[in-house]
Amino acid sequence: MFNLLTLSWRNVWRQRGRSLLTAGAVGLAVFFALVYQGLIGAVENGMYNTLAQAVGHLQVRVAGYRDKRELRDLLIPGAEAVKAKLQQAQPQAEIVVSLEVPALLSGESRSRGVLLVGQEQPPKFAQNFRAQFLQAGQMPTSNTQGIALGAALARALQVKLGDAVYAYAPNTQGSGAAAYKVVALLHFPDPAAEGRAAYLSLAAAQALAAPGGATRLELHLPITRYSQDSLVSALRPALAIALGPGLSVETWREVNPSLAQVLALLQPLVLVMMLIFFVLAGLMVVNTVYLGLLERTREFGVITALGAGPAKVTWMVLLESLLLCLSGAVGGGLLGVGLVTILSKGFTYPGLDKIGGTFGIPQVLYPSLSVWAVLGTLLFAVLTGLLAAWWPARVAAQMEPVEAMRFNA
Amino acid sequence: MPSRNLVEVKVNAVLQVKNLTKIYKVDSVETPALRGVNLEVGQGEFAALAGPSGSGKTTLLNLIGGLDHPTSGQVWLGQQRIDGLSKAQLANLRLWNLGFVFQAYNLIPVLSALENAAFVLELRGESPAERQAKARAALETLGMGEFADRRPNQLSGGQQQRVAVARALAAKPKIILADEPTANLDSKTGIALIEHMRALNREQGMTFLFSSHDPRLLEHVDRVVYLEDGRVQGVV
């Protein structure tokens, strides 16, 4: 036996072509919204991980380091002890120790001012770094005088793998110099970063500039999703207190405020785009529901005459719109989830990866969708159905039965 | 579940109309359709409103059915005065007390004959089993049992009108208001429908009030109220 749901379902498909077109528009909005969310989520997590990997989720430096110029003022006092404190406070975190030394780097015929980075990375980080940026050669180890250069910097210095380069840098004694062998070439998505990248082992940098010294300690937490970032902000005050007033603890946001702002804009952008998709689809739904109402004015008159009150008539129109939107939303949802599932294995975007690289977007993106994102998008479709049909539903509910039964479309 | 507080209807006089007027106003031009009509219909009556086109039959029937609002006067359904009720109250009143049969059948095209006959019961919120049983019984009473699964476009005019009567009958209203029910039917079908309705009136005590100028129908009714220019001209 039928009920109002089956009646509404049959009414929806009385004008099959028009309903299919409208359901298709809603389906397209749901499809785009899901794919868009999947992509933005991938960009967001990719940027987050690139940024966090480059500077750490939290970073320890000497207090007021931005205003200090001399290397000796930038050295963290008792760096080993500070590292031990950090490790004790966050046993699960990986700690990267860096010594950054401004230096003049010379090849046989050309020189460039660079920031030499001596780094001691845990094995997992070293492996990730190699996988992402190593173009040729082997990364320098602590017992060699090797240096890894950005490929662009190597071109600028007119050196290649196996060539010698010479570094002149300030040190705790005044100034120092050392010769290194180019053992690796690095490729970075951001050409500017590639033009200034010069990496040594921490031991080599310390031997050049500051024995046992470090200018930066990065704390890398076991977080891979941007949505978990609130943990980072929550951790910061406790660490700052534990380390005392001479050191500053900054989150990756404070280290990279401009990219953090770009990252913060992505979610609002998703919302705006979804609103645009659904407003356009909603206009089609209004049109379809209202045309259906006009064509069936006499029928609504009869239904009202037989005893359907304003509330029931309103509900009947809303139900038709909801069914129309949901049938499109289910189709679009399946396609959207399907495409994101296929892309979730990873995809590249050749041609745009250089631009992406300047924003810290990795070359391979892994879109994904949470259950909440899918449910939220379906909720958008439901709201579109309700809002789009609200006005036609009120028109139907206010019809006088006699006038409606006399109506000719 | 809709309220049934409007159902308390006195059995003797199912319907009373007192000094009812209806004036249509279009662009400040007033056209009187009813001019002080008085009428009473008793329980179990089989009565008709007759008169030429434009005499006010349909207008009167619409006002009695709460489908339109009078300019002045009163309409009583048993003990309940209905002319001042709100739109929602009138819908509720129609749902629980009145049955309608329209000249143009007005079945819902996406529903089968059985589903059309059960439509008012669905609006009342009755269970599927109850609806099905009552609707099927009504269809069988009108000889439409074998067409229960057909859609309106698969039925003849006479069959559609019988389904419309079944729709009204299944809900067991206090009174069935039928506006020109035989106007679109051929002679044989029209007479068959009249006989069906007359049998329902006699066997089940169902009260009918028609508007019609079909002499075949007027021959069968207990009482004919003649209207002309919006006034009652006589009762036979």
Side-chain angles (χ1 to χ4, degrees):
Chain A
M1 183 46 50
F2 87 108
N3 54 29
L4 288 186
L5 190 68
T6 49
L7 173 62
S8 299
W9 180 253
R10 289 179 201 171
N11 278 329
V12 164
W13 299 107
R14 276 163 85 163
Q15 294 290 338
R16 197 174 294 267
R18 193 165 66 206
S19 292
L20 271 176
L21 201 66
T22 308
V26 175
L28 212 58
V30 168
F31 172 79
F32 280 136
L34 287 175
V35 172
Y36 191 71
Q37 285 179 88
L39 290 177
I40 289 289
V43 168
E44 202 174 57
N45 288 330
M47 278 179 77
Y48 180 66
N49 286 325
T50 305
L51 283 172
Q53 187 170 335
V55 298
H57 292 98
L58 287 159
Q59 204 175 83
V60 177
R61 287 179 182 261
V62 292
Y65 71 93
R66 286 193 172 88
D67 301 324
K68 294 178 176 170
R69 292 288 170 268
E70 297 297 326
L71 175 67
R72 62 175 172 273
D73 297 333
L74 292 164
L75 293 172
I76 297 170
E80 274 304 314
V82 174
K83 181 187 172 190
K85 264 190 195 175
L86 287 174
Q87 197 70 75
Q88 192 184 5
Q90 286 297 311
Q92 292 179 322
E94 302 272 15
I95 295 170
V96 174
V97 182
S98 301
L99 175 62
E100 295 161 317
V101 185
L104 181 71
L105 201 61
S106 299
E108 288 301 328
S109 57
R110 294 192 177 184
S111 301
R112 286 288 184 275
V114 299
L115 191 66
L116 283 177
V117 180
Q119 222 168 42
E120 177 190 84
Q121 293 179 329
K124 194 180 83 181
F125 276 78
Q127 191 183 343
N128 282 346
F129 188 92
R130 283 197 299 273
Q132 282 188 47
F133 306 122
L134 184 63
Q135 190 180 60
Q138 296 288 327
M139 286 301 286
T141 54
S142 55
N143 50 9
T144 62
Q145 280 293 93
I147 189 168
L149 297 179
L153 178 60
R155 280 195 299 276
L157 294 173
Q158 292 186 330
V159 295
K160 56 186 186 302
L161 278 178
D163 287 351
V165 290
Y166 308 93
Y168 306 92
N171 67 15
T172 48
Q173 308 299 315
S175 64
Y180 301 100
K181 182 178 169 188
V182 179
V183 293
L185 293 177
L186 304 172
H187 169 67
F188 292 93
D190 178 7
E194 194 176 292
R196 59 174 184 264
Y199 287 82
L200 301 170
S201 68
L202 179 64
Q206 286 174 336
L208 173 70
T215 53
R216 193 174 78 191
L217 298 178
E218 296 168 8
L219 197 67
H220 294 262
L221 299 167
I223 295 173
T224 54
R225 301 190 78 81
Y226 182 54
S227 55
Q228 301 165 309
D229 187 59
S230 55
L231 295 171
V232 175
S233 310
L235 184 61
R236 183 191 164 211
L239 278 183
I241 291 168
L243 297 179
L247 296 173
S248 84
V249 180
E250 290 184 335
T251 65
W252 61 272
R253 287 175 193 276
E254 291 158 311
V255 177
N256 254 314
S258 53
L259 285 182
Q261 267 183 336
V262 172
L263 202 49
L265 278 175
L266 294 179
Q267 280 303 328
L269 197 64
V270 168
L271 200 64
V272 169
M273 292 306 286
M274 277 178 71
L275 278 176
I276 292 171
F277 294 153
F278 281 99
V279 164
L280 291 175
L283 288 174
M284 280 197 75
V285 178
V286 174
N287 182 54
T288 298
V289 173
Y290 189 64
L291 277 178
L293 176 65
L294 279 182
E295 287 163 358
R296 292 191 284 128
T297 300
R298 286 171 65 97
E299 207 172 296
F300 276 103
V302 173
I303 289 170
T304 312
L306 293 177
K312 189 145 268 179
V313 172
T314 301
W315 173 233
M316 288 168 82
V317 177
L318 291 180
L319 196 57
E320 285 184 26
S321 177
L322 275 179
L323 289 173
L324 184 65
C325 288
L326 276 177
S327 47
V330 168
L334 286 174
L335 286 176
V337 170
L339 183 62
V340 172
T341 305
I342 292 167
L343 294 177
S344 67
K345 290 166 186 145
F347 76 99
T348 55
Y349 50 108
L352 292 173
D353 51 352
K354 280 196 177 165
I355 299 170
T358 58
F359 290 97
I361 302 171
Q363 287 170 307
V364 183
L365 289 174
Y366 300 91
S368 64
L369 283 170
S370 66
V371 174
W372 292 112
V374 177
L375 290 179
T377 307
L378 291 180
L379 182 67
F380 256 87
V382 168
L383 288 177
T384 302
L386 288 176
L387 290 174
W390 186 251
W391 171 66
R394 295 309 301 158
V395 170
Q398 283 159 13
M399 283 178 185
E400 291 294 340
V402 169
E403 287 168 18
M405 284 192 288
R406 283 193 200 122
F407 183 82
N408 282 311
Chain B
M1 188 77 175
S3 160
R4 298 195 64 161
N5 61 352
L6 300 172
V7 182
E8 301 303 324
V9 174
K10 191 178 170 186
V11 282
N12 274 350
V14 176
L15 175 74
Q16 278 184 296
V17 168
K18 296 177 182 175
N19 203 24
L20 202 64
T21 63
K22 175 70 181 177
I23 299 169
Y24 291 107
K25 199 170 179 181
V26 181
D27 296 335
S28 75
V29 177
E30 292 189 344
T31 310
L34 291 179
R35 306 165 196 247
V37 171
N38 291 291
L39 176 69
E40 200 166 304
V41 176
Q43 171 66 44
E45 257 201 279
F46 199 67
L49 306 169
S53 291
S55 59
K57 303 186 296 292
T58 299
T59 302
L60 180 55
L61 215 57
N62 287 340
L63 293 175
I64 290 169
L67 299 175
D68 205 354
H69 303 281
T71 307
S72 65
Q74 298 177 4
V75 180
W76 290 76
L77 198 59
Q79 296 292 299
Q80 173 78 42
R81 184 174 170 183
I82 69 167
D83 50 272
L85 296 181
S86 70
K87 189 188 277 277
Q89 286 172 320
L90 280 174
N92 205 28
L93 176 107
R94 292 192 296 269
L95 181 64
W96 292 97
N97 294 283
L98 300 173
F100 291 91
V101 178
F102 304 101
Q103 181 179 340
Y105 329 133
N106 285 339
L107 299 177
I108 297 171
V110 293
L111 298 181
S112 67
L114 183 68
E115 290 168 336
N116 265 292
F119 185 75
V120 175
L121 305 172
E122 156 65 21
L123 291 179
R124 284 183 183 178
E126 292 192 17
S127 74
E130 265 183 309
R131 278 184 270 151
Q132 180 147 7
K134 288 180 183 176
R136 193 169 286 283
L139 283 177
E140 278 167 4
T141 302
L142 285 143
M144 287 295 294
E146 61 185 300
F147 302 106
D149 295 328
R150 290 201 188 171
R151 293 272 177 98
N153 62 359
Q154 297 167 317
L155 298 171
S156 69
Q159 288 169 330
Q160 287 189 55
Q161 197 59 303
R162 277 193 278 165
V163 174
V165 175
R167 177 172 66 188
L169 175 67
K172 297 221 179 308
K174 297 289 176 194
I175 183 168
I176 291 178
L177 304 173
D179 184 18
E180 309 266 11
T182 56
N184 289 351
L185 303 179
D186 61 52
S187 177
K188 191 178 160 193
T189 314
I191 289 168
L193 182 74
I194 293 162
E195 284 169 354
H196 272 301
M197 291 192 287
R198 189 55 166 158
L200 284 172
N201 167 252
R202 286 193 175 133
E203 290 159 18
Q204 300 188 19
M206 186 66 69
T207 308
F208 281 87
L209 179 62
F210 303 96
S211 80
S212 180
H213 49 241
D214 182 351
R216 297 167 303 178
L217 176 60
L218 299 182
E219 278 173 20
H220 283 78
V221 298
D222 301 327
R223 189 160 61 110
V224 181
V225 178
Y226 285 97
L227 293 174
E228 199 169 325
D229 292 333
R231 290 193 180 91
V232 175
Q233 293 297 322
V235 180
V236 177

